[in-house]
Structure formats: C-alpha cells, structure tokens
Short mmCIF file of all heavy atoms in Angstrom, two decimals:
data_model
loop_
_atom_site.label_atom_id
_atom_site.label_comp_id
_atom_site.label_asym_id
_atom_site.label_seq_id
_atom_site.Cartn_x
_atom_site.Cartn_y
_atom_site.Cartn_z
N MET A 74 3.18 19.00 15.91
CA MET A 74 3.47 17.85 15.07
C MET A 74 3.17 18.21 13.65
O MET A 74 2.05 18.74 13.34
CB MET A 74 2.72 16.66 15.52
CG MET A 74 2.89 15.40 14.69
SD MET A 74 1.94 13.95 15.00
CE MET A 74 2.10 13.69 16.77
N ASN A 75 4.03 17.90 12.70
CA ASN A 75 3.73 18.13 11.32
C ASN A 75 3.30 16.84 10.62
O ASN A 75 3.38 15.70 11.18
CB ASN A 75 4.93 18.81 10.70
CG ASN A 75 6.17 17.91 10.54
OD1 ASN A 75 6.05 16.73 10.29
ND2 ASN A 75 7.39 18.46 10.66
N ALA A 76 2.96 16.87 9.37
CA ALA A 76 2.40 15.63 8.63
C ALA A 76 3.41 14.52 8.57
O ALA A 76 3.21 13.38 8.60
CB ALA A 76 2.02 16.06 7.25
N ASP A 77 4.77 14.89 8.38
CA ASP A 77 5.84 13.87 8.35
C ASP A 77 5.96 13.13 9.64
O ASP A 77 6.18 11.92 9.68
CB ASP A 77 7.17 14.56 8.08
CG ASP A 77 7.16 15.13 6.62
OD1 ASP A 77 6.46 14.55 5.75
OD2 ASP A 77 8.00 16.10 6.39
N ASP A 78 5.70 13.82 10.88
CA ASP A 78 5.81 13.09 12.07
C ASP A 78 4.72 12.08 12.25
O ASP A 78 5.00 11.01 12.69
CB ASP A 78 5.62 14.05 13.27
CG ASP A 78 6.88 15.07 13.40
OD1 ASP A 78 7.93 14.71 12.89
OD2 ASP A 78 6.69 16.12 13.92
N SER A 79 3.47 12.39 11.82
CA SER A 79 2.30 11.36 11.89
C SER A 79 2.65 10.15 11.01
O SER A 79 2.30 9.06 11.28
CB SER A 79 1.03 11.99 11.59
OG SER A 79 1.04 12.44 10.30
N ALA A 80 3.29 10.42 9.87
CA ALA A 80 3.60 9.28 8.97
C ALA A 80 4.64 8.32 9.60
O ALA A 80 4.51 7.13 9.45
CB ALA A 80 4.12 9.82 7.64
N ASP A 81 5.56 8.81 10.42
CA ASP A 81 6.53 8.06 11.07
C ASP A 81 5.90 7.19 12.14
O ASP A 81 6.44 6.16 12.58
CB ASP A 81 7.52 8.81 11.77
CG ASP A 81 8.55 9.49 10.74
OD1 ASP A 81 8.57 8.93 9.50
OD2 ASP A 81 9.15 10.50 10.97
N ASP A 82 4.70 7.52 12.74
CA ASP A 82 4.03 6.88 13.73
C ASP A 82 3.20 5.65 13.27
O ASP A 82 2.87 4.85 14.01
CB ASP A 82 3.13 7.72 14.51
CG ASP A 82 3.83 8.80 15.40
OD1 ASP A 82 5.02 8.60 15.57
OD2 ASP A 82 3.18 9.76 15.82
N SER A 83 3.03 5.65 11.98
CA SER A 83 2.12 4.53 11.34
C SER A 83 2.99 3.35 11.13
O SER A 83 4.09 3.28 10.52
CB SER A 83 1.57 5.01 10.07
OG SER A 83 0.77 3.85 9.52
N PRO A 84 2.51 2.16 11.60
CA PRO A 84 3.30 0.91 11.29
C PRO A 84 2.97 0.36 9.88
O PRO A 84 3.66 -0.50 9.45
CB PRO A 84 2.69 -0.07 12.34
CG PRO A 84 1.23 0.39 12.53
CD PRO A 84 1.42 2.04 12.52
N VAL A 85 1.91 0.95 9.17
CA VAL A 85 1.60 0.49 7.85
C VAL A 85 2.82 0.70 6.86
O VAL A 85 3.35 1.69 6.90
CB VAL A 85 0.33 1.11 7.33
CG1 VAL A 85 0.01 0.62 5.87
CG2 VAL A 85 -0.85 0.80 8.21
N GLY A 86 3.12 -0.33 6.12
CA GLY A 86 4.17 -0.34 5.19
C GLY A 86 5.52 -0.66 5.79
O GLY A 86 6.52 -0.70 5.15
N ARG A 87 5.57 -1.03 7.03
CA ARG A 87 6.77 -1.34 7.70
C ARG A 87 7.00 -2.90 7.68
O ARG A 87 5.97 -3.68 7.70
CB ARG A 87 6.84 -0.82 9.14
CG ARG A 87 6.85 0.71 9.10
CD ARG A 87 7.10 1.23 10.46
NE ARG A 87 7.05 2.70 10.48
CZ ARG A 87 8.13 3.53 10.34
NH1 ARG A 87 9.28 2.88 10.31
NH2 ARG A 87 7.98 4.73 10.37
N ILE A 88 8.17 -3.37 7.92
CA ILE A 88 8.48 -4.73 7.89
C ILE A 88 8.61 -5.13 9.39
O ILE A 88 9.12 -4.40 10.21
CB ILE A 88 9.88 -4.97 7.27
CG1 ILE A 88 9.90 -4.57 5.80
CG2 ILE A 88 10.14 -6.49 7.28
CD1 ILE A 88 8.64 -5.12 4.88
N GLY A 89 8.11 -6.27 9.74
CA GLY A 89 8.24 -6.86 11.02
C GLY A 89 8.54 -8.38 11.10
O GLY A 89 8.54 -8.99 10.00
N VAL A 90 8.80 -8.84 12.30
CA VAL A 90 9.03 -10.34 12.46
C VAL A 90 8.10 -10.79 13.52
O VAL A 90 7.92 -10.22 14.63
CB VAL A 90 10.60 -10.58 12.98
CG1 VAL A 90 10.79 -12.01 13.22
CG2 VAL A 90 11.48 -10.01 11.85
N LEU A 91 7.47 -11.86 13.19
CA LEU A 91 6.48 -12.48 14.14
C LEU A 91 7.23 -13.10 15.33
O LEU A 91 8.10 -13.95 15.06
CB LEU A 91 5.62 -13.59 13.44
CG LEU A 91 4.72 -13.04 12.40
CD1 LEU A 91 3.91 -14.23 11.78
CD2 LEU A 91 3.74 -12.03 12.95
N VAL A 92 6.93 -12.71 16.47
CA VAL A 92 7.47 -13.35 17.72
C VAL A 92 6.52 -14.36 18.28
O VAL A 92 6.86 -15.18 19.08
CB VAL A 92 7.83 -12.23 18.80
CG1 VAL A 92 8.91 -11.35 18.34
CG2 VAL A 92 6.60 -11.36 19.16
N VAL A 93 5.19 -14.33 17.90
CA VAL A 93 4.17 -15.37 18.14
C VAL A 93 3.54 -15.54 16.79
O VAL A 93 2.96 -14.61 16.13
CB VAL A 93 3.21 -14.94 19.17
CG1 VAL A 93 2.12 -15.98 19.31
CG2 VAL A 93 3.85 -14.68 20.41
N GLY A 94 3.47 -16.72 16.27
CA GLY A 94 2.85 -16.99 15.08
C GLY A 94 1.33 -16.72 15.03
O GLY A 94 0.79 -16.73 16.03
N THR A 95 0.89 -16.38 13.82
CA THR A 95 -0.57 -16.04 13.70
C THR A 95 -1.28 -17.37 13.47
O THR A 95 -0.81 -18.38 13.09
CB THR A 95 -0.86 -15.06 12.53
OG1 THR A 95 -0.45 -15.75 11.28
CG2 THR A 95 -0.06 -13.77 12.66
N ARG A 96 -2.70 -17.28 13.74
CA ARG A 96 -3.46 -18.54 13.60
C ARG A 96 -4.56 -18.35 12.47
O ARG A 96 -5.56 -19.00 12.50
CB ARG A 96 -4.04 -18.93 14.79
CG ARG A 96 -2.89 -19.31 15.88
CD ARG A 96 -3.45 -19.70 17.24
NE ARG A 96 -4.13 -18.56 17.90
CZ ARG A 96 -5.15 -18.51 18.66
NH1 ARG A 96 -5.71 -19.75 18.99
NH2 ARG A 96 -5.69 -17.55 19.20
N GLY A 97 -4.25 -17.39 11.54
CA GLY A 97 -5.32 -17.18 10.54
C GLY A 97 -6.59 -16.67 11.13
O GLY A 97 -6.58 -15.80 11.98
N GLY A 98 -7.71 -17.31 10.77
CA GLY A 98 -9.07 -16.94 11.33
C GLY A 98 -9.23 -17.38 12.71
O GLY A 98 -10.24 -16.88 13.31
N ARG A 99 -8.29 -18.11 13.30
CA ARG A 99 -8.51 -18.58 14.67
C ARG A 99 -7.90 -17.65 15.68
O ARG A 99 -8.02 -17.76 16.87
CB ARG A 99 -7.88 -19.98 14.83
CG ARG A 99 -8.71 -21.01 14.06
CD ARG A 99 -8.28 -22.43 14.31
NE ARG A 99 -7.14 -22.61 15.20
CZ ARG A 99 -5.99 -23.11 14.72
NH1 ARG A 99 -5.90 -23.58 13.58
NH2 ARG A 99 -4.98 -23.26 15.59
N GLY A 100 -7.14 -16.53 15.23
CA GLY A 100 -6.62 -15.63 16.24
C GLY A 100 -5.33 -15.03 15.78
O GLY A 100 -4.68 -15.44 14.79
N PRO A 101 -4.88 -13.93 16.54
CA PRO A 101 -3.69 -13.21 16.19
C PRO A 101 -2.43 -13.74 16.79
O PRO A 101 -2.53 -14.70 17.68
CB PRO A 101 -4.01 -11.84 16.83
CG PRO A 101 -4.80 -12.18 18.09
CD PRO A 101 -5.68 -13.37 17.57
N GLY A 102 -1.37 -13.24 16.22
CA GLY A 102 -0.09 -13.54 16.81
C GLY A 102 0.44 -12.27 17.27
O GLY A 102 -0.33 -11.34 17.47
N GLU A 103 1.71 -12.15 17.30
CA GLU A 103 2.39 -10.85 17.70
C GLU A 103 3.60 -10.50 16.82
O GLU A 103 4.41 -11.44 16.52
CB GLU A 103 2.87 -10.91 19.20
CG GLU A 103 3.37 -9.72 19.72
CD GLU A 103 3.76 -9.79 21.17
OE1 GLU A 103 3.08 -10.62 21.94
OE2 GLU A 103 4.59 -8.97 21.71
N VAL A 104 3.71 -9.30 16.35
CA VAL A 104 4.69 -8.91 15.51
C VAL A 104 5.58 -7.79 16.15
O VAL A 104 5.02 -6.93 16.80
CB VAL A 104 4.18 -8.43 14.14
CG1 VAL A 104 3.35 -7.20 14.28
CG2 VAL A 104 5.32 -8.23 13.12
N LEU A 105 6.89 -7.86 15.97
CA LEU A 105 7.75 -6.83 16.42
C LEU A 105 8.17 -5.95 15.21
O LEU A 105 8.72 -6.50 14.20
CB LEU A 105 9.05 -7.44 17.04
CG LEU A 105 9.84 -6.62 17.97
CD1 LEU A 105 9.09 -6.00 19.10
CD2 LEU A 105 11.07 -7.45 18.48
N VAL A 106 7.83 -4.68 15.28
CA VAL A 106 8.05 -3.75 14.20
C VAL A 106 9.00 -2.62 14.64
O VAL A 106 8.82 -2.11 15.71
CB VAL A 106 6.57 -3.10 13.71
CG1 VAL A 106 6.85 -2.17 12.70
CG2 VAL A 106 5.68 -4.18 13.33
N LYS A 107 9.93 -2.38 13.77
CA LYS A 107 10.91 -1.24 13.98
C LYS A 107 10.18 0.07 13.61
O LYS A 107 9.75 0.18 12.49
CB LYS A 107 12.13 -1.34 13.15
CG LYS A 107 13.12 -2.48 13.74
CD LYS A 107 14.30 -2.57 13.03
CE LYS A 107 15.09 -3.75 13.54
NZ LYS A 107 16.35 -3.97 12.88
N ILE A 108 9.98 0.92 14.63
CA ILE A 108 9.17 2.13 14.43
C ILE A 108 9.50 3.19 15.55
O ILE A 108 9.92 2.83 16.70
CB ILE A 108 7.67 1.88 14.53
CG1 ILE A 108 6.80 2.94 14.15
CG2 ILE A 108 7.17 1.20 15.88
CD1 ILE A 108 5.27 2.72 13.99
N ARG A 109 9.46 4.42 15.23
CA ARG A 109 9.66 5.56 16.16
C ARG A 109 11.04 5.45 16.85
O ARG A 109 11.25 5.60 18.05
CB ARG A 109 8.58 5.64 17.18
CG ARG A 109 7.31 6.04 16.51
CD ARG A 109 6.18 6.19 17.68
NE ARG A 109 5.50 4.98 18.03
CZ ARG A 109 4.46 4.48 17.50
NH1 ARG A 109 3.90 5.22 16.49
NH2 ARG A 109 3.93 3.39 17.85
N GLY A 110 12.07 4.93 16.21
CA GLY A 110 13.45 4.85 16.70
C GLY A 110 13.64 3.63 17.60
O GLY A 110 14.71 3.47 18.28
N GLY A 111 12.65 2.73 17.68
CA GLY A 111 12.86 1.52 18.46
C GLY A 111 12.00 0.36 17.79
O GLY A 111 11.77 0.42 16.72
N SER A 112 11.80 -0.64 18.66
CA SER A 112 11.00 -1.75 18.27
C SER A 112 9.72 -1.78 19.15
O SER A 112 9.84 -1.68 20.30
CB SER A 112 11.64 -3.06 18.24
OG SER A 112 12.75 -3.01 17.31
N GLU A 113 8.54 -2.09 18.54
CA GLU A 113 7.33 -2.19 19.30
C GLU A 113 6.56 -3.34 18.81
O GLU A 113 6.57 -3.74 17.69
CB GLU A 113 6.39 -0.86 19.04
CG GLU A 113 7.05 0.40 19.49
CD GLU A 113 6.13 1.67 19.38
OE1 GLU A 113 4.97 1.36 19.36
OE2 GLU A 113 6.68 2.70 19.34
N ALA A 114 5.80 -3.99 19.83
CA ALA A 114 4.94 -5.20 19.57
C ALA A 114 3.50 -4.80 19.26
O ALA A 114 3.00 -3.81 19.85
CB ALA A 114 5.03 -6.06 20.84
N PHE A 115 2.97 -5.39 18.33
CA PHE A 115 1.58 -5.29 17.86
C PHE A 115 0.91 -6.66 17.76
O PHE A 115 1.58 -7.61 17.45
CB PHE A 115 1.46 -4.61 16.58
CG PHE A 115 2.03 -3.22 16.45
CD1 PHE A 115 3.33 -2.87 16.34
CD2 PHE A 115 1.10 -2.15 16.52
CE1 PHE A 115 3.80 -1.61 16.27
CE2 PHE A 115 1.63 -0.77 16.47
CZ PHE A 115 2.93 -0.55 16.31
N LEU A 116 -0.37 -6.69 18.10
CA LEU A 116 -1.20 -7.85 17.79
C LEU A 116 -1.12 -8.03 16.19
O LEU A 116 -1.30 -6.95 15.52
CB LEU A 116 -2.60 -7.87 18.25
CG LEU A 116 -2.88 -8.00 19.73
CD1 LEU A 116 -4.29 -7.77 19.92
CD2 LEU A 116 -2.35 -9.32 20.17
N ALA A 117 -0.91 -9.20 15.68
CA ALA A 117 -0.79 -9.38 14.19
C ALA A 117 -1.89 -10.38 13.75
O ALA A 117 -1.93 -11.49 14.23
CB ALA A 117 0.57 -9.89 13.90
N PHE A 118 -2.70 -9.91 12.80
CA PHE A 118 -3.76 -10.77 12.10
C PHE A 118 -3.26 -11.04 10.77
O PHE A 118 -2.77 -10.17 10.11
CB PHE A 118 -5.04 -9.98 12.15
CG PHE A 118 -5.62 -9.78 13.58
CD1 PHE A 118 -5.25 -8.72 14.33
CD2 PHE A 118 -6.49 -10.62 14.05
CE1 PHE A 118 -5.71 -8.42 15.58
CE2 PHE A 118 -7.04 -10.53 15.36
CZ PHE A 118 -6.61 -9.30 16.18
N SER A 119 -3.52 -12.30 10.25
CA SER A 119 -3.30 -12.59 8.88
C SER A 119 -4.37 -13.57 8.42
O SER A 119 -5.06 -14.27 9.21
CB SER A 119 -1.97 -13.35 8.73
OG SER A 119 -1.94 -14.42 9.51
N ASP A 120 -4.51 -13.62 6.99
CA ASP A 120 -5.57 -14.45 6.52
C ASP A 120 -5.26 -15.98 6.70
O ASP A 120 -6.17 -16.75 7.02
CB ASP A 120 -5.73 -14.24 5.03
CG ASP A 120 -6.41 -12.86 4.68
OD1 ASP A 120 -7.07 -12.31 5.60
OD2 ASP A 120 -6.17 -12.26 3.61
N GLU A 121 -3.92 -16.27 6.55
CA GLU A 121 -3.57 -17.65 6.67
C GLU A 121 -2.58 -17.71 7.92
O GLU A 121 -1.84 -16.72 8.27
CB GLU A 121 -2.73 -18.11 5.55
CG GLU A 121 -3.69 -18.15 4.19
CD GLU A 121 -4.82 -19.12 4.34
OE1 GLU A 121 -4.61 -20.18 4.84
OE2 GLU A 121 -5.88 -18.85 3.77
N PRO A 122 -2.49 -18.79 8.57
CA PRO A 122 -1.54 -18.97 9.64
C PRO A 122 -0.18 -18.79 9.12
O PRO A 122 0.28 -19.13 8.20
CB PRO A 122 -1.61 -20.49 10.16
CG PRO A 122 -3.10 -20.80 9.71
CD PRO A 122 -3.30 -20.13 8.47
N LEU A 123 0.70 -18.03 10.00
CA LEU A 123 2.11 -17.76 9.76
C LEU A 123 2.97 -18.06 10.95
O LEU A 123 2.55 -17.87 12.07
CB LEU A 123 2.31 -16.27 9.45
CG LEU A 123 1.57 -15.65 8.12
CD1 LEU A 123 1.64 -14.17 8.14
CD2 LEU A 123 1.92 -16.30 6.89
N PRO A 124 4.14 -18.71 10.68
CA PRO A 124 4.90 -19.25 11.71
C PRO A 124 5.69 -18.22 12.51
O PRO A 124 5.97 -17.06 11.89
CB PRO A 124 5.85 -20.28 11.07
CG PRO A 124 5.97 -19.59 9.75
CD PRO A 124 4.69 -18.98 9.36
N LYS A 125 6.04 -18.44 13.70
CA LYS A 125 6.91 -17.69 14.50
C LYS A 125 8.19 -17.43 13.69
O LYS A 125 8.67 -18.42 13.14
CB LYS A 125 7.29 -18.30 15.83
CG LYS A 125 8.28 -17.55 16.68
CD LYS A 125 8.50 -18.31 17.98
CE LYS A 125 9.54 -17.60 18.78
NZ LYS A 125 9.91 -18.27 20.11
N GLY A 126 8.79 -16.19 13.62
CA GLY A 126 9.97 -15.96 13.01
C GLY A 126 9.80 -15.52 11.50
O GLY A 126 10.78 -15.10 10.97
N ALA A 127 8.55 -15.63 10.95
CA ALA A 127 8.26 -15.08 9.60
C ALA A 127 8.44 -13.65 9.62
O ALA A 127 8.06 -12.89 10.37
CB ALA A 127 6.93 -15.59 9.27
N THR A 128 9.00 -13.23 8.44
CA THR A 128 9.09 -11.78 8.06
C THR A 128 7.81 -11.39 7.44
O THR A 128 7.35 -12.11 6.52
CB THR A 128 10.26 -11.53 7.19
OG1 THR A 128 11.50 -11.99 7.84
CG2 THR A 128 10.40 -10.05 6.82
N VAL A 129 7.16 -10.26 7.88
CA VAL A 129 5.90 -9.86 7.32
C VAL A 129 5.93 -8.36 7.01
O VAL A 129 6.75 -7.65 7.51
CB VAL A 129 4.74 -10.18 8.33
CG1 VAL A 129 4.54 -11.64 8.54
CG2 VAL A 129 4.95 -9.41 9.71
N LEU A 130 4.90 -8.01 6.21
CA LEU A 130 4.75 -6.62 5.82
C LEU A 130 3.42 -6.21 6.49
O LEU A 130 2.43 -6.85 6.40
CB LEU A 130 4.58 -6.45 4.35
CG LEU A 130 4.21 -5.09 3.76
CD1 LEU A 130 5.33 -4.05 4.08
CD2 LEU A 130 3.88 -5.18 2.30
N VAL A 131 3.33 -5.00 7.24
CA VAL A 131 2.22 -4.54 7.82
C VAL A 131 1.35 -3.81 6.68
O VAL A 131 1.92 -2.92 6.12
CB VAL A 131 2.47 -3.51 8.96
CG1 VAL A 131 1.20 -2.91 9.45
CG2 VAL A 131 3.40 -4.29 10.03
N VAL A 132 0.16 -4.28 6.46
CA VAL A 132 -0.61 -3.85 5.36
C VAL A 132 -1.84 -2.95 5.80
O VAL A 132 -2.33 -2.15 5.01
CB VAL A 132 -1.14 -4.90 4.51
CG1 VAL A 132 0.03 -5.58 3.73
CG2 VAL A 132 -1.94 -5.92 5.23
N GLU A 133 -2.21 -3.08 7.09
CA GLU A 133 -3.27 -2.22 7.48
C GLU A 133 -3.26 -2.15 9.07
O GLU A 133 -2.79 -3.01 9.77
CB GLU A 133 -4.58 -2.87 7.15
CG GLU A 133 -5.80 -2.06 7.39
CD GLU A 133 -7.11 -2.53 6.78
OE1 GLU A 133 -7.03 -3.24 5.82
OE2 GLU A 133 -8.15 -2.29 7.30
N SER A 134 -3.71 -1.06 9.57
CA SER A 134 -3.77 -0.84 11.05
C SER A 134 -5.25 -1.12 11.54
O SER A 134 -6.15 -0.70 10.91
CB SER A 134 -3.47 0.56 11.43
OG SER A 134 -3.52 0.81 12.85
N ARG A 135 -5.37 -1.80 12.68
CA ARG A 135 -6.63 -2.04 13.30
C ARG A 135 -6.90 -1.26 14.55
O ARG A 135 -7.70 -1.47 15.39
CB ARG A 135 -6.75 -3.51 13.69
CG ARG A 135 -6.90 -4.40 12.55
CD ARG A 135 -7.19 -5.82 13.00
NE ARG A 135 -7.42 -6.73 11.89
CZ ARG A 135 -8.10 -7.86 12.00
NH1 ARG A 135 -8.67 -8.19 13.12
NH2 ARG A 135 -8.25 -8.58 11.00
N GLY A 136 -6.01 -0.23 14.71
CA GLY A 136 -6.04 0.75 15.85
C GLY A 136 -4.74 0.86 16.45
O GLY A 136 -3.73 0.63 15.77
N ALA A 137 -4.61 1.24 17.70
CA ALA A 137 -3.35 1.56 18.31
C ALA A 137 -2.31 0.44 18.36
O ALA A 137 -1.10 0.72 18.19
CB ALA A 137 -3.56 2.17 19.67
N ARG A 138 -2.80 -0.74 18.60
CA ARG A 138 -1.82 -1.84 18.84
C ARG A 138 -2.11 -3.13 18.09
O ARG A 138 -1.65 -4.20 18.54
CB ARG A 138 -1.72 -2.14 20.36
CG ARG A 138 -1.43 -1.01 21.30
CD ARG A 138 -0.19 -0.22 21.00
NE ARG A 138 1.01 -1.06 21.02
CZ ARG A 138 2.09 -0.60 20.51
NH1 ARG A 138 2.32 0.60 20.14
NH2 ARG A 138 3.20 -1.34 20.43
N ALA A 139 -2.89 -3.10 17.03
CA ALA A 139 -3.24 -4.23 16.31
C ALA A 139 -3.10 -3.89 14.73
O ALA A 139 -3.43 -2.80 14.32
CB ALA A 139 -4.58 -4.76 16.58
N VAL A 140 -2.60 -4.92 14.02
CA VAL A 140 -2.31 -4.66 12.58
C VAL A 140 -2.62 -5.94 11.79
O VAL A 140 -2.59 -7.06 12.33
CB VAL A 140 -0.79 -4.29 12.29
CG1 VAL A 140 -0.46 -2.93 12.89
CG2 VAL A 140 0.17 -5.36 12.85
N ASP A 141 -2.77 -5.76 10.46
CA ASP A 141 -2.91 -6.94 9.68
C ASP A 141 -1.52 -7.00 8.86
O ASP A 141 -0.92 -5.99 8.50
CB ASP A 141 -3.99 -6.65 8.49
CG ASP A 141 -5.43 -6.73 9.05
OD1 ASP A 141 -5.58 -7.37 10.14
OD2 ASP A 141 -6.21 -5.97 8.47
N VAL A 142 -1.10 -8.33 8.67
CA VAL A 142 0.17 -8.52 8.17
C VAL A 142 0.08 -9.60 7.00
O VAL A 142 -0.90 -10.40 6.92
CB VAL A 142 1.27 -9.01 9.08
CG1 VAL A 142 1.51 -8.02 10.19
CG2 VAL A 142 0.76 -10.38 9.68
N THR A 143 0.98 -9.52 6.00
CA THR A 143 1.09 -10.47 5.02
C THR A 143 2.48 -10.97 4.92
O THR A 143 3.41 -10.28 5.21
CB THR A 143 0.52 -9.86 3.65
OG1 THR A 143 0.41 -10.93 2.70
CG2 THR A 143 1.55 -8.89 3.14
N PRO A 144 2.71 -12.21 4.49
CA PRO A 144 4.08 -12.66 4.30
C PRO A 144 4.91 -11.81 3.41
O PRO A 144 4.32 -11.26 2.37
CB PRO A 144 3.99 -14.03 3.70
CG PRO A 144 2.64 -14.49 3.92
CD PRO A 144 1.75 -13.22 4.08
N TRP A 145 6.16 -11.64 3.62
CA TRP A 145 7.04 -10.74 2.91
C TRP A 145 8.41 -11.34 2.67
O TRP A 145 8.98 -11.82 3.63
CB TRP A 145 7.11 -9.39 3.58
CG TRP A 145 7.71 -8.28 2.69
CD1 TRP A 145 7.25 -7.74 1.60
CD2 TRP A 145 9.06 -7.74 2.76
NE1 TRP A 145 8.12 -6.82 1.10
CE2 TRP A 145 9.26 -6.87 1.78
CE3 TRP A 145 10.15 -8.05 3.69
CZ2 TRP A 145 10.46 -6.13 1.57
CZ3 TRP A 145 11.27 -7.39 3.49
CH2 TRP A 145 11.52 -6.46 2.48
N THR A 146 8.84 -11.26 1.42
CA THR A 146 10.24 -11.76 1.19
C THR A 146 11.02 -10.50 0.66
O THR A 146 10.49 -9.91 -0.37
CB THR A 146 10.22 -12.83 0.11
OG1 THR A 146 9.46 -13.91 0.60
CG2 THR A 146 11.63 -13.24 -0.15
N ASP A 147 12.07 -10.19 1.16
CA ASP A 147 12.90 -9.03 0.79
C ASP A 147 13.66 -9.38 -0.62
O ASP A 147 14.40 -10.24 -0.58
CB ASP A 147 13.86 -8.79 1.90
CG ASP A 147 14.77 -7.50 1.58
OD1 ASP A 147 14.52 -6.82 0.60
OD2 ASP A 147 15.73 -7.31 2.27
N PRO A 148 13.17 -8.66 -1.61
CA PRO A 148 13.77 -8.95 -2.94
C PRO A 148 15.28 -8.53 -2.96
O PRO A 148 15.99 -8.96 -3.86
CB PRO A 148 12.88 -8.14 -3.93
CG PRO A 148 12.35 -7.03 -3.04
CD PRO A 148 12.22 -7.63 -1.67
N LEU A 149 15.69 -7.70 -2.09
CA LEU A 149 17.07 -7.09 -2.20
C LEU A 149 17.98 -7.86 -1.06
O LEU A 149 19.15 -7.59 -1.05
CB LEU A 149 17.13 -5.60 -1.99
CG LEU A 149 16.30 -4.86 -2.99
CD1 LEU A 149 16.41 -3.31 -2.55
CD2 LEU A 149 16.94 -5.02 -4.36
N GLY A 150 17.30 -8.70 -0.20
CA GLY A 150 18.07 -9.29 0.88
C GLY A 150 18.59 -8.32 1.95
O GLY A 150 19.66 -8.61 2.60
N VAL A 151 17.83 -7.30 2.17
CA VAL A 151 18.33 -6.26 3.20
C VAL A 151 17.89 -6.64 4.67
O VAL A 151 18.59 -6.46 5.55
CB VAL A 151 17.84 -4.77 2.88
CG1 VAL A 151 18.11 -3.93 3.94
CG2 VAL A 151 18.38 -4.46 1.48
N PHE A 152 16.65 -7.27 4.65
CA PHE A 152 16.13 -7.60 6.02
C PHE A 152 16.27 -9.11 6.28
O PHE A 152 16.31 -9.91 5.56
CB PHE A 152 14.61 -7.21 6.01
CG PHE A 152 14.40 -5.76 6.08
CD1 PHE A 152 14.08 -5.06 4.92
CD2 PHE A 152 14.41 -5.05 7.25
CE1 PHE A 152 13.93 -3.72 4.99
CE2 PHE A 152 14.21 -3.73 7.32
CZ PHE A 152 13.99 -3.03 6.15
#
C-alpha cells in the first residue's frame, strides 16, 4: 500500500448524509459516506443535534467506524 491508498481510506474531508440524526451531546447518529468505491456507514457525532437527511462534512475520525461531523452546504450545488 502506498501513501495515496491510505488517504483514500480516510473518511475525513468527505461529504456524507445522515441516515440517523445526531443528538449533539446526548449521542451519535449515523452517516453514510461515499468511500473506497462504495458507501459505508459510520457513527456520527456532532456538537449540536442534526436531523436525518442533513448533508455533513466529516471533520475528524474517532477510530475505525466513528467520526465527527459538521453541517455542510455545497457552495457549487454538486452534492
């Protein structure tokens, strides 16, 4: 595996959609992220509650299957 391969494995910096809304400090939701040629689900943590269907940006990884997310609006209207 080269350095480029490991960068493709990271969900950080990728856009996702919440399939289960987050509850802020009360608990995670679930985000579906396009990664590694498919889509994968991760536990999603956020500072404030976010609704199901919200588009989010993955800002940090908490390990293999958990990430921190923040609301994201696509300035170009691509997503």
Side-chain angles (χ1 to χ4, degrees):
M74 176 185 309
N75 64 39
D77 291 334
D78 291 338
S79 63
D81 289 341
D82 289 344
S83 175
V85 176
R87 295 184 184 267
I88 305 303
V90 175
L91 293 176
V92 293
V93 175
T95 65
R96 297 181 292 149
R99 294 188 352 241
E103 186 174 332
V104 64
L105 196 59
V106 178
K107 290 182 181 180
I108 187 169
R109 294 185 274 270
S112 294
E113 296 184 21
F115 294 83
L116 286 178
F118 293 86
S119 63
D120 291 336
E121 299 295 323
L123 299 172
K125 176 181 177 179
T128 302
V129 296
L130 174 66
V131 178
V132 293
E133 190 170 331
S134 175
R135 291 188 175 205
R138 304 305 306 167
V140 294
D141 289 335
V142 299
T143 190
W145 189 75
T146 302
D147 181 9
L149 301 177
V151 176
F152 290 94

